[in-house]
Amino acid sequence: MNKADGRDPPTPGNGWTNKDVPLMMYPQTQDGQVHLYQCHRRYIHTSHGWSRTGSACPNDAVAAASSGHKINHDDEAKVVRSLISQLSEKYYAKGWMPGTGGGMSIRIGSGTADDPFAVFSTPSGIQKEDMVGDDVFEQDIDQNVITPPITPGLKLSSMNNIWFVVYNLRPSTRCVIHTHSMYAQLATLLDPSEQSDIFQITHQEMIKGVGNHAYDSMLAIPIIDNQRSENLLAPDIEKVIQKYPKCNAVLVRRHGVYVWGDSWEEAKTRLESFDYLFETAVKMKSMGIDPGVVPKKKNADASTDTMECKENRAASKDVTIDDTIEPSKKRKRTDTELKNSKELTQTIDSEIMQYA
């Protein structure tokens, strides 16, 4: 890629939050359901996550309504199914999972004989607004279906193998989300030649949402080309993760984005931050502003001061304007300007003397 403002292009994933969110535990709610607008917050709490409900937050008035302790696999599975259904419905409503597109996956367990990994993922061929928790697939780490959906005819998503690529290459990952967001796919077209393999943006407040990034950091996300079928993307995503081991997102040209995190909350926060930045980049480009270029700053030193600032400073020092600006920019001041300047200086001196 071309260097911007003399700086080396950033490496995707550098500075991103990695493995600093403790592994999550899902609490049991009433019958494993999410009771909206009643005694619970909208989203299910994780005792080590960022939600406010649960035993991890003693100041929450409804903390007792959620349990923060470890629960058995069957109860945890119910909670995860409800969570996937709820988040998918939200993303459908936002236009990020239109039609039957997009999907998400959550992994639980520790990988031991007593607590094996279990992967829950959205099915293919169903609109996310109509999907219930029991429509979610449960698989083991070898992609064997343990519990199929309750709705007849549902199949594993064509992106199913991609979940496992991420989980295998990034062992700390607990959640992967894929959207067909309009701005995600438009962000891959900011380079008209469609040859760029990295999306870049800098000097945006929402860059902080990625984690370990500041407002003025250069955020870089790798881009891969789309394929005729979703499952064919797996080899390219694998190559990207191996090339950028700290990367937590991949854009697919003319398609969408994959985002993952060490908890569902981290993945969700990242996804929403990324989409905001994608939209920002697209709109900046339409205004003729390159989102990946460091903006020019207005320095406060004398060499870049405006004529007005220089004249004011000159007046306060009781010197002529010619003493404060470059020779090439000098202009002859009229008698009236000189008189006004001296009068202003005298007035200031007089006022200062009153408080001396």
Side-chain angles (χ1 to χ4, degrees), residues 10 16 199-202 207 210 213 217-221 274 277:
W16 295 18
F199 164 85
Q200 290 185 198
I201 189 168
T202 186
I207 291 177
V210 175
H213 273 66
S217 297
M218 182 69 75
L219 175 65
I221 304 174
F274 282 143
L277 293 169

Side-chain angles (χ1 to χ4, degrees), residues 49-66:
W50 304 330
S51 298
R52 292 179 293 171
T53 305
S55 60
C57 183
N59 297 324
D60 197 314
V62 297
S66 266

Side-chain angles (χ1 to χ4, degrees), residues 142-173:
D142 296 318
Q143 302 188 44
N144 299 309
V145 175
I146 296 177
T147 306
I150 193 173
T151 301
L154 293 182
K155 300 179 180 179
L156 287 169
S157 170
S158 59
M159 69 192 77
N160 189 68
N161 60 333
I162 296 177
W163 310 138
F164 290 88
V165 166
V166 178
Y167 290 139
N168 289 330
L169 294 179
R170 293 293 303 275
S172 64
T173 298

Side-chain angles (χ1 to χ4, degrees), residues 95-111:
W96 294 357
M97 294 184 179
T100 61
M104 68 175 294
S105 169
I106 291 178
R107 179 175 64 167
I108 65 172
S110 60

